[in-house]
Amino acid sequence: MLKFLVIEDERNLSDSIADMLRRLGKVEQVFNGEDGLYQAEKGVYDLIILDLMLPGLDGFTILNELRRKKINTPVLILSAKDSLEDKVRAFKDGTDDYLTKPFHREELMLRVKALLKRSMGIEESNVIENGNLKINLNNHVVTYEDRIIQLQGKEFDLLLYLVQNKDVIVTKEQIFDRIWGFDSSTSITVVEVYMSNLRKQLKKQNVPNMIRTLRNVGYIWENPSED
């Protein structure tokens, strides 16, 4: 399931945006700059909707802090600031898109979907490809060199999350939050269990070992070297 963070102090607007995004996944809302930066740093999101004029920390400060800490979650700025200077500054600071208020709902959704496709590597057919590995988001079928890999529920979610974040270290805590959720009654050790199961299923179909364990840190999906 996709996860979104909306950092917007106008509550009616925030609720309206959240209602739209819930068609695509789970949405968390915060209403001031400090809470926004805290959530953006500790959470695992597919997209952040960020207002510039916020109580406390402003949107520029939040964006700068995220990029300084190498948090590359796509950011879509929504702002009443419509000057060229503000837009240029935002893009230089690392935003992925900028939409001025007021805006049409349809345009917001189109921009959100475009950012998701670009950041997640989703083709028009709704298939993510990583070499000979294909992940179909419509029917949850995974194939390697056209051989079907049998994955159950959260095994599929785990593979998808790793591939979407290839070459990026993800911690057990990030995986647990993304796939099971903070409010889950299960233990974080479930991550190791499912990781082991996923590796076994991939090995059965002769998929090269692309999941590397970094002791006491987390995991990383690395494509084999072509050298």
Side-chain angles (χ1 to χ4, degrees):
M1 177 180 289
L2 297 175
K3 290 183 69 174
F4 302 93
L5 176 63
V6 179
I7 308 174
E8 167 63 64
D9 64 315
E10 297 180 42
R11 290 184 177 258
N12 288 338
L13 177 57
S14 177
D15 288 343
S16 178
I17 295 170
D19 286 343
M20 286 187 280
L21 295 178
R22 286 192 183 98
R23 303 173 192 171
L24 303 176
K26 181 180 178 182
V27 182
E28 294 181 10
Q29 297 168 256
V30 292
F31 305 98
N32 63 68
E34 285 83 359
D35 290 344
L37 179 58
Y38 176 75
Q39 284 297 125
E41 288 180 339
K42 80 179 183 66
V44 181
Y45 300 99
D46 295 290
L47 180 66
I48 296 172
I49 305 291
L50 176 63
D51 185 22
L52 288 182
M53 295 182 288
L54 295 162
L57 299 178
D58 63 31
F60 286 120
T61 302
I62 293 172
L63 181 60
N64 269 299
E65 276 298 294
L66 293 179
R67 298 316 187 219
R68 184 180 68 83
K69 294 180 178 179
K70 309 300 182 185
I71 298 172
N72 295 315
T73 306
V75 172
L76 169 57
I77 285 178
L78 298 181
S79 178
K81 289 176 171 285
D82 59 358
S83 71
L84 178 60
E85 290 79 8
D86 285 318
K87 293 177 181 179
V88 169
R89 179 183 174 186
F91 279 105
K92 283 185 175 180
D93 287 349
T95 193
D96 296 272
D97 202 354
Y98 193 115
L99 183 60
T100 55
K101 302 176 183 177
F103 53 86
H104 292 287
R105 294 165 60 97
E106 293 80 5
E107 183 178 4
L108 174 60
M109 289 302 292
L110 286 172
R111 290 186 184 230
V112 165
K113 290 178 179 179
L115 282 176
L116 291 172
K117 283 184 178 181
R118 192 166 73 209
S119 66
M120 298 168 66
I122 301 175
E123 304 295 333
E124 289 299 321
S125 59
N126 231 22
V127 173
I128 293 178
E129 296 191 20
N130 185 87
N132 292 319
L133 184 73
K134 296 181 180 180
I135 305 173
N136 190 309
L137 302 181
N138 292 325
N139 56 19
H140 284 204
V141 170
V142 178
T143 60
Y144 182 75
E145 295 180 342
D146 297 325
R147 299 189 300 274
I148 293 178
I149 302 171
Q150 299 293 341
L151 297 179
Q152 304 299 318
K154 290 193 172 11
E155 293 173 358
F156 176 89
D157 296 337
L158 179 55
L159 174 66
L160 178 61
Y161 184 55
L162 290 171
V163 172
Q164 286 174 342
N165 292 279
K166 64 181 179 181
D167 300 321
V168 175
I169 298 170
V170 290
T171 66
K172 290 181 185 177
E173 290 76 15
Q174 287 175 314
I175 294 171
F176 185 78
D177 173 39
R178 177 55 186 263
I179 297 177
W180 284 271
F182 281 126
D183 55 354
S184 174
S185 60
T186 190
S187 161
I188 197 170
T189 57
V190 73
V191 173
E192 296 178 10
V193 174
Y194 273 82
M195 193 68 73
S196 175
N197 292 342
L198 175 59
R199 280 186 164 121
K200 290 176 183 176
Q201 294 303 325
L202 295 175
K203 187 176 181 180
K204 284 182 182 178
Q205 296 301 333
N206 298 317
V207 180
N209 182 21
M210 291 181 272
I211 304 172
R212 184 156 69 95
T213 301
L214 303 174
R215 189 177 298 276
N216 299 323
V217 178
Y219 305 91
I220 184 169
W221 180 275
E222 294 180 319
N223 288 337
S225 172
E226 296 181 357
D227 298 337

